[in-house]
């Protein structure tokens, strides 16, 4: 029974990851992707975190409610880590150029693009043949002043809070404490 449950998790979650990768590849070089679409892709990619947590809970003998709680926790942790990595990528000129050519733009940039004037300014920097450290610094300054990016940061904080509240019902207090530390670490300094 456990093996069937694990196989179903592996099958569904890793197919979801494959779908996310294919979708992201189809959007390569598209600067007009909506932040909501990018967020959906990040959520799909976090399916592997969910799979690991669910499988661990099953192997550990957890009841279905605990398996579900830990699975949801894993998905959220995966999303938060991906968003953190996207914020970090904005600081790195080489990574920004890689993202422009080979991937979707980082989520904070897409949120900043919701403001047409901000989009125009940032695109001036991103369209350069080579993005310098100063260009990246300027992009970071612009992004962190953008109201839409602040909305993203608030969304991330609410998601983290909601997840920490949800796992509070897990009986193992030490485990809950460690899980909360991971969530808080994923959003630290965003």
């Amino acid at each position: 029974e456990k093996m069937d449950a694990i196989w179903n998790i592996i099958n569904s979650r890793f197919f979801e990851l494959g779908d996310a990768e294919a979708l992201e590849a189809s959007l390569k070089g598209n600067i007009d992707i909506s932040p909501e679409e990018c967020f959906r892709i990040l959520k799909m990619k976090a399916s592997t975190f969910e799979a690991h947590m669910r499988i661990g809970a099953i192997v550990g003998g957890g009841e279905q409610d605990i398996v579900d709680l830990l699975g949801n926790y894993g998905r959220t942790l995966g999303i938060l880590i991906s968003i953190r990595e996207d914020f970090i990528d904005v600081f790195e000129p080489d990574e920004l150029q890689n993202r422009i050519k080979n991937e979707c733009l980082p989520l904070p940039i897409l949120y900043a693009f919701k403001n047409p004037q901000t989009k125009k300014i940032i695109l001036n920097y991103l369209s350069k043949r080579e993005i310098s450290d100063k260009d990246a610094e300027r992009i970071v300054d612009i992004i962190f002043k953008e109201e839409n990016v602040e909305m993203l940061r608030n969304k991330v904080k609410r998601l983290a809070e909601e997840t920490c509240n949800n796992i509070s019902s897990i009986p193992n207090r030490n485990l809950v404490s460690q899980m909360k530390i991971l969530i808080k670490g994923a959003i630290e300094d965003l």
Side-chain angles (χ1 to χ4, degrees):
E1 190 176 307
K2 284 184 181 183
M3 287 304 296
D4 284 342
I6 290 169
W7 175 248
N8 288 334
I9 291 167
I10 291 170
N11 192 30
S12 65
R13 297 320 185 275
F14 285 93
F15 273 112
E16 185 178 355
L17 174 62
D19 289 345
E21 294 291 345
L23 181 57
E24 185 176 43
S26 75
L27 297 171
K28 176 180 162 181
N30 183 351
I31 60 168
D32 291 319
I33 180 175
S34 74
E36 293 79 17
E37 180 70 4
C38 184
F39 191 87
R40 187 172 77 87
I41 293 169
L42 290 179
K43 185 176 180 181
M44 291 170 69
K45 289 171 114 178
S47 63
T48 57
F49 284 78
E50 179 182 349
H52 288 104
M53 293 298 289
R54 284 184 180 277
I55 291 168
I58 291 168
V59 169
E63 296 294 325
Q64 189 59 49
D65 61 333
I66 298 295
V67 171
D68 291 340
L69 271 174
L70 292 176
N72 292 334
Y73 170 86
R75 174 86 62 160
T76 301
L77 182 61
I79 292 167
L80 296 177
I81 289 171
S82 293
I83 292 172
R84 179 177 195 75
E85 289 172 355
D86 272 14
F87 269 98
I88 292 169
D89 286 351
V90 175
F91 286 85
E92 300 291 330
D94 292 339
E95 189 55 34
L96 267 178
Q97 288 187 297
N98 176 58
R99 297 283 299 258
I100 292 165
K101 292 177 188 170
N102 302 311
E103 300 176 36
C104 296
L105 289 172
L107 191 59
I109 290 177
L110 295 175
Y111 267 88
F113 278 9
K114 284 185 158 192
N115 178 334
Q117 292 137 342
T118 300
K119 181 178 181 179
K120 184 177 177 182
I121 294 167
I122 292 173
L123 282 176
N124 284 331
Y125 290 105
L126 297 179
S127 64
K128 291 182 175 184
R129 185 175 180 166
E130 190 168 321
I131 299 171
S132 69
D133 287 340
K134 282 190 173 197
D135 294 334
E137 287 175 23
R138 184 66 186 123
I139 292 169
V140 167
D141 289 341
I142 293 166
I143 285 172
F144 277 96
K145 291 177 185 169
E146 179 56 48
E147 181 179 309
N148 293 305
V149 175
E150 185 61 30
M151 289 171 47
L152 169 63
R153 293 165 73 197
N154 289 332
K155 179 179 182 174
V156 165
K157 289 175 187 172
R158 283 191 307 274
L159 185 59
E161 279 179 29
E162 181 181 305
T163 301
C164 287
N165 288 338
N166 289 344
I167 63 172
S168 292
S169 64
I170 295 173
N172 184 328
R173 306 310 326 142
N174 188 41
L175 174 64
V176 169
S177 175
Q178 292 172 1
M179 291 169 67
K180 286 180 178 182
I181 289 169
L182 284 173
I183 290 287
K184 289 176 184 174
I187 66 167
E188 188 175 15
D189 298 329
L190 288 188

